[in-house]
């Protein structure tokens, strides 16, 4: 006798599909089913007595004897799909590793072994660390959210390790989310060295078999610590006892394509459903998190100083209005000389890769621009090409101006590559290590660079924001921060928040040893209030000041936003579509939801597609979500041009 089962299928549709099934199929198991002309892997959601449809097709094969997705993880995935208004079939398939998605058997290929490195001596904890550990463990068996707010280098990781060790004794598992493992290999090393149990890392540099194995070892309960990037939030972990989100302020917890979820935000629901504590750790809490502290949704635990006598660096400004050079000022060079002479490492931070961002004509107003995007081309000297950082277009630089035939074409501005070249001429006897996406494209390159830096040998490090993340460079004594002024002038309401976080994080790279470090920031706006706060290590004060501004302007986190973004190769189509969407929403009976737009995106044209945005905002989150649900119900009343692609982004951050 055949049963009717409801199956979620990875297609961008909100409905699920009914099939006949003659074998036993558990809820949460994978099934191979015919779909159109294809065979796809779906997930069994429920059994049914009858279906709305007559001619049901049959399941071809039941792929799992036991459920792959437990009820607990299914509940979490359903909640996520509903919150982000994303089709459940896609949410489920996004949550499982590719091999399982394509129907391979759910068996572990290669077990990870337990590291039996004689573990490093546990440190004598500071009283603040002890308090943090005790406070979290008070909530060992119930949901409670914490902000572990510790200055850079204050020993947050030590707190994570200590709580983890305790929970493992109770047979629990721990999930640790980090922004980008590739950039912070130290975190894995420290867990592996310390924890005498299986630690699995889940990140994009693993191959598909490794990803599947890590997933299945977490699911079976064998792996005790699961350390991963954002998608690890969906790992099935039957004995989950704690969720940690390290560097919670980091933007990479938000997925910016297809299923646009925030792993940081979802961690609350994950911990709530499992009834366990949650720790968000950072030196520079996001405004969302600080508001949660104010609203008593999170308890703040503070680590106010660096253990072992290390002190925070001194921060000074260099006023670029009185400097002739646009990149390396005279005071900066002399500071670098000073520290290099003492055999220290120095680091320069600039958030732009390539050689120079502008290639222009000295006679007319021509500058090299991308044909496919609204953006200028960046000159890369080592390959002698102009490159678009949005679509990847590469061209050979013109030898004369295409507009006026003038032969005098010049470059303007600085990227990491040009800085590296300049430094080599200023400091011919010092090693310069450049770290950006161009020098670390190969998998091992970044690790090799880090090893060189960690050897402690005196050198100059030049890099982009890749350097801002939790690295612990013990011989680094000086950090120069270049070109921050764009962040002060930006129209994005989050720009100053992000700049403050970046300045604190980059500064935090130095002075980790016994040596007080120094940070110099070059700016043409030395009177901007941000610098007073940063100089006095008053991030929280500045963040509170920004929170007040957001409250006055009724911006997030005091209001909730959703963005509907449409794009098309046809210039008028997205705007027309979004105007109809706006009309539809305006006809919904609602209060407190405001509509803004359609407006062109900041970069309107990218890879020959035109982008338009429509913003919805409300101080009432439930009302906003109710309106979006109603909008979806009536969506078929809008005729959508076949050239238009669109998506919805809940709590957008860009
Ligand atoms: P964070 O994660 O807050 O940036 P870490 O956990 O990396 O800080 O700690 C910074 C440094 O301080 C590390 O080298 C760590 O070993 C050391 N450390 C942490 N806690 C203590 C302690 N209680 N006593 C001595 N050193 C400590
Ligand atoms: Zn010209
Ligand atoms: Zn382009």
């Amino acid at each position: 006798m055949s049963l009717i089962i409801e199956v979620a299928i990875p297609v961008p549709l909100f409905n699920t599909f009914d099939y006949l099934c003659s074998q036993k199929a558990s809820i949460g198991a994978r099934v191979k089913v015919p779909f159109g002309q294809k065979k796809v892997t779906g997930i069994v959601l429920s059994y049914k007595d009858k279906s709305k449809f007559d001619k049901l097709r049959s399941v071809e094969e039941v792929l799992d004897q036991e459920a792959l997705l437990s009820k607990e993880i299914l509940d979490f995935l359903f909640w996520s799909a509903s919150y982000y208004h994303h089709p459940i079939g896609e949410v489920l398939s996004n949550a499982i590793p590719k091999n399982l998605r394509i129907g391979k058997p759910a068996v572990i290929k290669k077990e990870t072994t337990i590291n039996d490195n004689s573990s490093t001596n546990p440190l004598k904890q500071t009283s603040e660390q002890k308090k943090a550990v005790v406070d979290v463990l008070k909530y060992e068996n119930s949901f409670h959210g914490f902000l572990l707010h510790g200055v850079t280098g204050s020993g947050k990781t030590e707190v994570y390790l200590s709580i983890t060790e305790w929970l493992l004794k109770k047979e629990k598992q721990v999930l640790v989310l980090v922004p980008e493992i590739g950039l912070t290999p130290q975190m894995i090393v420290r867990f592996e060295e310390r924890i005498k149990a299986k630690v699995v890392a889940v990140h994009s540099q693993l191959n598909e078999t490794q990803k599947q194995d890590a997933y299945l070892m977490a699911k079976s309960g064998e792996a005790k610590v699961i350390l991963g990037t954002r998608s690890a939030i969906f790992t099935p972990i039957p004995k989950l006892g704690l969720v940690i989100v390290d560097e919670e302020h980091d933007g990479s917890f938000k997925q910016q394509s297809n299923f646009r979820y925030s792993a940081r935000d979802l961690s609350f629901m994950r911990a709530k459903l499992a009834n366990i504590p949650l720790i968000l750790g950072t030196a520079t809490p996001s405004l969302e998190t600080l508001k949660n502290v104010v609203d008593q949704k999170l308890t703040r635990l503070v680590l106010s100083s660096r253990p072992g006598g290390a002190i925070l660096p001194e921060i000074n400004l260099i006023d670029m209005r009185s400097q002739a050079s646009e990149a390396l000022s005279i005071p900066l060079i002399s500071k670098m000389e000073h520290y290099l002479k003492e055999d220290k490492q120095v680091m320069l931070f600039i958030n732009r890769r390539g050689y120079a961002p502008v290639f222009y004509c000295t006679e007319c107003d021509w500058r090299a621009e991308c044909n496919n995007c609204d953006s200028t081309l960046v000159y890369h000297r080592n390959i002698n090409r102009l490159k678009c950082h949005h679509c990847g277009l590469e061209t050979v630089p013109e030898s004369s101006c295409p507009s006026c035939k003038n032969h005098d074409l010049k470059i303007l501005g600085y990227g990491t590559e040009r800085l590296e070249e300049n430094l080599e001429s200023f400091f011919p006897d010092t090693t310069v290590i450049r770290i950006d996406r161009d020098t670390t494209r190969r998998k091992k390159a970044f690790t090799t660079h880090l090893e060189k830096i960690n050897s402690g040998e005196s050198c100059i490090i030049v890099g982009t924001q890749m350097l801002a993340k939790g690295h612990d460079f013990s011989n680094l004594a000086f950090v120069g921060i270049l070109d921050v002024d764009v962040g002060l002038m930006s129209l994005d309401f989050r720009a100053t928040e992000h700049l403050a976080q970046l300045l604190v994080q980059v500064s935090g790279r130095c002075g980790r040893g016994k040596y007080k470090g120094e940070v110099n920031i070059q700016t043409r706006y030395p009177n901007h209030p941000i610098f007073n706060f940063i100089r006095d290590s008053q991030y929280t004060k500045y963040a509170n000041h920004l929170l007040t501004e957001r409250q006055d302007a009724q911006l997030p986190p005091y209001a909730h936003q959703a963005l509907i973004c449409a794009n098309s190769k046809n210039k008028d189509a997205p705007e027309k579509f979004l105007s109809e969407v706006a009309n539809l929403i305006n006809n919904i009976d609602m209060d407190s939801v405001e509509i803004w737009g359609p407006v062109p995106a900041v970069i309107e044209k990218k890879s020959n597609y035109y982008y338009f945005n429509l913003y919805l905002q409300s101080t009432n989150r439930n009302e906003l979500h109710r309106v979006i649900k109603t909008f979806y119900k009536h969506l078929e009343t809008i005729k959508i041009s076949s050239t238009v692609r669109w998506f919805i982004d809940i709590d957008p951050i860009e």
Side-chain angles (χ1 to χ4, degrees):
M1 200 199 76
S2 280
L3 281 170
I4 299 172
I5 58 171
E6 180 192 10
V7 178
I9 289 189
V11 285
L13 297 169
F14 281 89
N15 47 318
T16 54
F17 299 84
D18 294 345
Y19 285 90
L20 293 172
C21 186
S22 55
Q23 293 157 268
K24 177 180 166 286
S26 315
I27 289 176
R30 292 171 304 152
V31 285
K32 192 158 122 194
V33 293
F35 189 77
Q37 302 298 314
K38 288 187 299 190
K39 309 258 184 281
V40 298
T41 308
I43 304 283
V44 181
L45 297 181
S46 70
Y47 309 121
K48 288 179 151 185
D49 292 332
K50 52 176 188 272
S51 174
K52 279 195 292 188
F53 305 93
D54 328 320
K55 288 207 182 117
L56 294 183
R57 301 173 81 177
S58 292
V59 167
E60 197 138 297
E61 191 185 347
V62 176
L63 296 168
D64 299 309
Q65 290 318 304
E66 284 168 44
L68 181 70
L69 301 172
S70 65
K71 173 163 185 334
E72 192 196 339
I73 200 83
L74 274 178
D75 284 348
F76 176 59
L77 290 164
F78 266 95
W79 190 89
S80 308
S82 156
Y83 182 78
Y84 289 104
H85 303 272
H86 202 82
I88 184 68
E90 286 195 347
V91 170
L92 294 184
S93 96
N94 175 82
I96 57 183
K98 186 169 167 223
N99 278 352
L100 299 175
R101 217 183 299 154
I102 59 175
K104 294 207 175 163
V107 287
I108 298 170
K109 289 264 167 57
K110 186 167 176 279
E111 301 268 345
T112 313
T113 47
I114 298 178
N115 235 314
D116 49 13
N117 294 353
S118 54
S119 81
T120 45
N121 272 344
L123 304 158
K124 193 176 169 309
Q125 291 180 351
T126 62
S127 54
E128 285 178 331
Q129 284 173 324
K130 270 189 208 145
K131 180 179 183 313
V133 173
V134 169
D135 283 2
V136 173
L137 287 174
K138 273 185 205 150
Y139 292 89
E140 201 182 316
N141 294 308
S142 54
F143 170 68
H144 196 95
F146 295 91
L147 161 63
L148 180 60
H149 189 176
V151 297
T152 50
S154 60
K156 291 184 288 297
T157 313
E158 175 57 32
V159 172
Y160 304 152
L161 287 167
S162 179
I163 298 175
T164 299
E165 281 184 320
W166 174 266
L167 292 173
L168 295 194
K169 279 190 207 135
K170 304 281 185 83
E171 301 289 313
K172 302 258 177 72
Q173 293 170 284
V174 173
L175 171 64
V176 188
L177 299 183
V178 294
E180 279 159 90
I181 292 191
L183 302 189
T184 52
Q186 287 172 57
M187 194 71 164
I188 310 181
V189 173
R190 285 176 71 182
F191 268 85
E192 282 179 343
E193 274 176 1
R194 181 76 167 271
I195 303 293
K196 288 197 191 66
K198 274 187 196 174
V199 177
V200 292
V202 189
H203 55 90
S204 59
Q205 288 181 7
L206 300 181
N207 66 38
E208 291 304 328
T209 309
Q210 291 169 319
K211 282 183 196 165
Q212 163 169 337
D213 285 356
Y215 183 90
L216 293 173
M217 282 190 279
K219 174 179 141 56
S220 73
E222 255 173 277
K224 300 302 176 193
V225 176
I226 295 91
L227 217 152
T229 43
R230 62 173 177 258
S231 64
I233 188 75
F234 301 118
T235 315
I237 306 174
K239 293 195 173 157
L240 187 59
L242 170 71
V243 181
I244 296 169
V245 182
D246 189 36
E247 310 293 355
E248 67 81 26
H249 63 278
D250 197 287
S252 73
F253 288 117
K254 178 91 198 263
Q255 176 146 303
Q256 295 291 14
S257 61
N258 195 21
F259 175 31
R260 291 165 192 266
Y261 65 93
S262 157
R264 193 263 321 269
D265 295 348
L266 284 178
S267 68
F268 283 76
M269 188 43 75
R270 184 85 208 250
K272 225 177 251 178
L273 289 172
N275 209 23
I276 54 167
L278 162 70
I279 306 177
L280 306 183
T282 178
T284 51
S286 62
L287 298 191
E288 280 73 14
T289 291
L290 284 177
K291 178 158 184 299
N292 279 330
V293 172
V294 174
D295 295 345
Q296 300 189 340
K297 289 182 184 152
L298 290 172
T299 302
R300 181 162 170 257
L301 303 169
V302 182
L303 305 181
S304 56
S305 59
R306 293 179 165 186
I311 19 183
L312 287 171
E314 176 184 321
I315 299 180
N316 296 308
L317 298 181
I318 297 174
D319 186 347
M320 292 303 279
R321 290 171 302 183
S322 54
Q323 293 295 323
S325 157
E326 40 167 339
L328 295 166
S329 65
I330 294 164
L332 188 78
I333 296 283
S334 66
K335 276 281 161 59
M336 292 175 69
E337 278 168 351
H338 167 81
Y339 285 99
L340 290 169
K341 225 176 252 158
E342 298 196 4
D343 251 359
K344 296 285 161 196
Q345 296 177 330
V346 307
M347 181 168 107
L348 295 188
F349 173 85
I350 181 168
N351 216 357
R352 189 186 300 112
R353 66 194 171 92
Y355 193 82
V358 183
F359 182 62
Y360 74 105
C361 170
T362 51
E363 283 295 320
C364 71
D365 57 7
W366 179 85
R367 45 168 69 191
E369 282 172 353
C370 180
N371 288 331
N372 310 328
C373 311
D374 290 335
S375 75
T376 55
L377 296 173
V378 179
Y379 181 58
H380 286 247
R381 175 160 224 165
N382 65 330
I383 49 172
N384 189 33
R385 289 283 186 284
L386 292 165
K387 254 192 185 175
C388 174
H389 286 186
H390 296 287
C391 70
L393 176 94
E394 284 188 19
T395 63
V396 179
E398 286 83 351
S399 54
S400 62
C401 173
S403 169
C404 75
K405 307 286 174 257
N406 166 30
H407 282 276
D408 189 20
L409 300 182
K410 283 212 164 90
I411 49 165
L412 181 72
Y414 274 80
T416 45
E417 194 188 357
R418 188 171 182 196
L419 210 54
E420 177 187 28
E421 186 186 275
N422 267 16
L423 289 167
E424 277 162 357
S425 66
F426 274 110
F427 303 97
D429 304 322
T430 310
T431 314
V432 179
I433 301 173
R434 169 158 68 100
I435 295 190
D436 58 28
R437 273 213 281 138
D438 297 313
T439 64
T440 55
R441 231 174 268 283
R442 285 177 306 111
K443 272 190 186 178
K444 283 269 178 294
F446 189 65
T447 325
T448 316
H449 285 316
L450 282 186
E451 275 165 11
K452 232 184 193 167
I453 299 172
N454 284 327
S455 75
E457 192 190 317
S458 170
C459 65
I460 301 171
I461 308 154
V462 184
T464 60
Q465 67 193 7
M466 289 178 78
L467 283 172
K469 321 241 166 181
H471 297 290
D472 203 352
F473 302 138
S474 56
N475 198 31
L476 181 67
F478 178 80
V479 173
I481 307 178
L482 282 59
D483 206 32
V484 294
D485 293 345
V486 255
L488 298 174
M489 298 297 111
S490 168
L491 293 174
D492 175 3
F493 70 85
R494 290 184 215 266
T496 40
E497 175 194 354
H498 291 160
L499 180 60
Q501 289 163 346
L502 190 73
L503 292 177
V504 174
Q505 295 289 347
V506 177
S507 308
R509 296 311 117 216
C510 81
R512 294 280 181 132
K514 289 272 170 278
Y515 204 86
K516 178 168 178 157
E518 179 175 351
V519 177
N520 282 7
I521 304 172
Q522 297 193 151
T523 176
R524 302 182 70 85
Y525 304 93
N527 297 321
H528 194 286
I530 192 172
F531 296 120
N532 282 331
F533 291 102
I534 298 295
R535 221 172 0 204
D536 300 340
S537 309
Q538 305 271 12
Y539 172 82
T540 316
K541 248 196 193 157
Y542 185 59
N544 283 332
H545 159 82
L546 294 178
L547 261 183
T548 316
E549 280 183 5
R550 298 268 186 96
Q551 184 166 26
D552 293 344
Q554 287 291 292
L555 284 168
Y558 289 89
H560 308 284
Q561 291 186 334
L563 160 69
I564 303 178
C565 176
N567 63 71
S568 168
K569 283 195 171 171
N570 174 345
K571 194 174 192 310
D572 305 321
E575 190 175 10
K576 186 165 167 286
F577 165 69
L578 290 178
S579 301
E580 289 183 41
V581 170
N583 265 339
L584 195 166
I585 295 175
N586 270 317
N587 282 325
I588 298 173
D589 183 23
M590 61 184 183
D591 56 66
S592 87
V593 177
E594 290 168 53
I595 303 180
W596 185 60
V599 287
V602 180
I603 299 174
E604 183 180 341
K605 189 172 111 180
K606 261 196 221 173
S607 298
N608 287 319
Y609 281 84
Y610 295 87
Y611 286 77
F612 275 77
N613 293 332
L614 182 74
Y615 290 88
L616 308 183
Q617 180 171 306
S618 173
T619 49
N620 180 339
R621 177 172 262 154
N622 292 337
E623 178 68 359
L624 176 67
H625 284 254
R626 187 188 64 80
V627 166
I628 295 168
K629 285 225 155 73
T630 316
F631 153 70
Y632 269 106
K633 250 185 231 150
H634 297 289
L635 186 59
E636 70 248 31
T637 61
I638 302 182
K639 235 182 72 204
I640 308 175
S641 148
S642 62
T643 67
V644 172
R645 302 186 297 188
W646 70 280
F647 60 83
I648 191 156
D649 188 352
I650 304 296
D651 309 326
I653 58 168
E654 277 186 350

